[in-house]
């Protein structure tokens, strides 16, 4: 695969590369103690506009990804149900726990105004973004 001057990727010998999505829609999700099903509602709404037929060209152009930002990941019961319902049309990934831990280990600057829960959520977001960046 070679990038040309116009920015396009051109195949030079070998098999064709697998198509990358043009648009990746990512939802970060954590379980709620109330069992609220925000994730299921959001996925249902997104999938109503996402082509169901695999042969539809938009189907491979748009990818829906859910990042499980819950700790421990297996305790997110709504996400487990979402996997059962939509596993064939949605990609599910786990946050990069190591990235989140490294963020939490970063020493705070004197005078930091971020409260502990905000700092923890920010670090969890870092772990989720790392998981997305690791995707092909």
């Amino acid at each position: 695969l070679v990038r040309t001057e116009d920015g396009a990727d051109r195949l030079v010998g070998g098999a064709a590369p697998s198509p990358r999505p043009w648009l990746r829609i990512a939802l970060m999700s954590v379980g709620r103690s109330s069992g609220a099903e925000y994730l299921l509602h959001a996925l249902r709404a997104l999938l109503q506009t996402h082509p169901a037929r695999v042969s539809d060209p938009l189907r491979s152009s748009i990818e829906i990804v859910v990042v499980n930002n819950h700790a421990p990941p297996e305790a997110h019961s709504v996400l487990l149900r979402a996997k059962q319902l939509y596993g064939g049309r949605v990609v599910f990934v786990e946050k990069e726990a190591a990235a989140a831990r490294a963020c939490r280990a970063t020493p705070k600057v004197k005078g930091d105004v971020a409260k502990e829960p905000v700092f923890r959520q920010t670090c969890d977001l870092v772990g989720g973004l790392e998981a997305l960046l690791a995707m092909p």
Side-chain angles (χ1 to χ4, degrees):
L1 194 61
V2 175
R3 178 143 300 169
T4 61
E5 287 180 8
D6 63 358
D9 290 332
R10 303 274 186 254
L11 183 66
V12 180
S18 61
R20 289 185 54 174
W22 175 77
L23 174 65
R24 182 173 280 155
I25 300 169
L27 302 173
M28 303 285 186
S29 182
V30 295
R32 303 287 177 199
S33 58
S34 66
E37 297 183 340
Y38 302 123
L39 177 62
L40 295 177
H41 297 298
L43 288 174
R44 193 174 305 115
L46 282 170
L47 290 171
Q48 285 176 351
T49 61
H50 192 253
R53 288 189 342 266
V54 176
S55 61
D56 189 313
L58 279 178
R59 172 82 182 257
S60 62
S61 298
I62 301 170
E63 182 177 66
I64 301 169
V65 180
V66 174
V67 179
N68 186 354
N69 235 1
H70 198 80
E74 61 278 359
H76 191 345
S77 60
V78 174
L79 185 127
L80 297 176
R81 279 211 335 263
K83 278 184 180 181
Q84 291 171 339
L85 292 169
Y86 305 118
R89 296 185 61 197
V90 175
V91 177
F92 293 87
V93 297
E94 304 292 329
K95 75 176 174 187
E96 291 290 328
R101 279 192 303 274
C103 175
R104 285 191 193 111
T106 303
K108 291 186 177 183
V109 177
K110 186 177 180 177
D112 236 346
V113 294
K115 302 275 189 249
E116 185 59 33
V118 173
F119 186 71
R120 187 174 54 249
Q121 290 170 350
T122 303
C123 290
D124 285 341
L125 181 60
V126 167
L129 292 172
E130 289 286 340
L132 288 169
L133 290 172
M135 292 180 68

